[in-house]
Amino acid sequence: MEFADTHTHLFVEEFDQDREAVIQRALQSRVRTMLLPNIDESTIESLKSFSALDTEHCFPMMGLHPCSVKDNYREVLKDILKELDSGYRYYGVGEIGMDLYWDKSTLDWQSDAFLQQCGWAVERSLGVSIHTRSATYETIKLLKQMKQTPRGVFHCFSGSYEEAQEIIKLGFYIGIGGVVTFKNSGLPEVLKRLSIDNIVLETDAPYLSPVPYRGKRNESSYIPFIAEKLSEVYGISVSRVAEVTRENSRKIFGV
Ligand code: NI
């Protein structure tokens, strides 16, 4: 049995003290594929040095996070694209997307950055990791405008059944993390109406730890808590959850 964590930021400063131990714990928990979406231009070096610690299990992505899209985003995107095409091996375009929770005034810039980066993924045949917050509708609308959409994941999904249906219809997967284990989460009821064939696992470490670590720093070794919850939701074994979600992740990111 092996798991894939399709969205984890183990390269950020929260892990400065124990990066190698964090990788070891993930491997002990049978999490053998860790996909690492970039955040912005300031995180590229730490992303690369972290990934170099274990190239067999750590797979970096390159992209600009919607919360980092500011007035200089065109310049930043040039640097991100240069890095993507530098010859260093990247396994996806991420983290990209739309976030209207913190700042609605950057909607146009965010849309432009999102569409451009989706285009890069299509041209290079890479999967994307999509972040949406208070912007699922806007994101779906943008994808529908594209002549050709990339393959990818709507990461950290916590929307409605109808939104999930739209996402799946566009050919995307649903990324499920620690939120599904929270008491009072409506997500298990939504998931029951969806097939596990559309789902991948993720932690979004260091954020959104599953129960019993809710509120603490998250890490990739906690993936089995999410898998256990899904095994309960679907009435299938944890190893079946691991197998299906890992295969889905491979279809998107090739590892
Ligand atoms: Ni993230």
Side-chain angles (χ1 to χ4, degrees):
M1 181 164 70
E2 285 185 9
F3 296 103
D5 183 351
T6 56
H7 194 112
T8 180
H9 303 285
L10 299 177
F11 53 90
V12 299
E13 65 184 5
E14 280 84 346
F15 300 101
D16 275 353
Q17 303 310 316
D18 59 349
R19 292 184 196 286
E20 279 156 25
V22 165
I23 295 177
Q24 282 318 310
R25 283 198 292 275
L27 296 177
Q28 278 157 16
S29 297
R30 302 175 188 240
V31 180
R32 301 188 66 80
T33 305
M34 289 168 262
L35 285 142
L36 303 151
N38 185 45
I39 300 166
D40 58 31
E41 69 278 26
S42 74
T43 54
I44 295 176
E45 284 316 312
S46 52
L47 169 69
K48 288 165 82 171
S49 54
F50 179 82
S51 305
L53 292 174
D54 185 345
T55 53
E56 198 186 327
H57 304 107
C58 296
F59 303 99
M61 299 187 209
M62 189 43 53
L64 179 64
H65 192 289
C67 292
S68 297
V69 172
K70 309 283 183 227
D71 56 358
N72 67 339
Y73 79 95
R74 288 184 188 85
E75 290 307 310
V76 175
L77 280 181
K78 271 185 207 158
D79 291 340
I80 299 271
L81 179 60
K82 210 162 109 192
E83 183 57 38
L84 181 64
D85 288 338
S86 65
Y88 193 88
R89 180 93 193 259
Y90 288 105
Y91 295 83
V93 175
E95 173 166 358
I96 62 174
M98 299 288 291
D99 192 313
L100 299 178
Y101 181 82
W102 296 108
D103 190 354
K104 285 189 182 59
S105 71
T106 60
L107 172 68
D108 291 345
W109 296 343
Q110 287 191 42
S111 306
D112 185 29
F114 178 64
L115 288 170
Q116 278 194 49
Q117 294 183 91
C118 283
W120 301 347
V122 169
E123 287 160 13
R124 289 159 187 78
S125 195
L126 291 169
V128 295
S129 191
I130 298 179
H131 164 111
T132 70
R133 191 162 184 201
S134 306
T136 307
Y137 168 76
E138 283 80 1
T139 308
I140 289 170
K141 207 171 97 182
L142 286 170
L143 287 168
K144 282 182 174 166
Q145 280 172 23
M146 296 189 65
K147 276 198 205 87
Q148 199 186 341
T149 50
R151 60 181 189 274
V153 187
F154 270 63
H155 117 80
C156 199
F157 179 80
S158 60
S160 66
Y161 171 72
E162 288 68 27
E163 285 171 336
Q165 284 290 90
E166 289 273 340
I167 289 166
I168 292 165
K169 240 191 278 169
L170 283 165
F172 284 82
Y173 289 81
I174 308 272
I176 296 296
V179 173
V180 76
T181 68
F182 294 178
K183 212 178 157 192
N184 303 328
S185 165
L187 205 45
E189 287 310 311
V190 172
L191 293 183
K192 272 181 194 158
R193 301 171 66 190
L194 304 174
S195 164
I196 194 162
D197 293 338
N198 302 116
I199 289 168
V200 293
L201 305 182
E202 62 168 62
T203 56
D204 202 17
Y207 314 107
L208 294 169
S209 277
V211 173
Y213 297 106
R214 189 174 179 178
K216 309 243 167 63
R217 184 188 74 171
N218 198 1
E219 57 176 72
S220 292
S221 68
Y222 298 164
I223 280 283
F225 295 106
I226 301 159
E228 272 163 35
K229 184 69 196 185
L230 288 188
S231 103
E232 206 182 293
V233 167
Y234 287 107
I236 58 177
S237 65
V238 172
S239 67
R240 182 73 187 141
V241 171
E243 185 184 7
V244 176
T245 55
R246 194 181 192 292
E247 186 51 33
N248 291 344
S249 160
R250 191 180 286 122
K251 283 179 197 155
I252 306 162
F253 298 110
V255 285

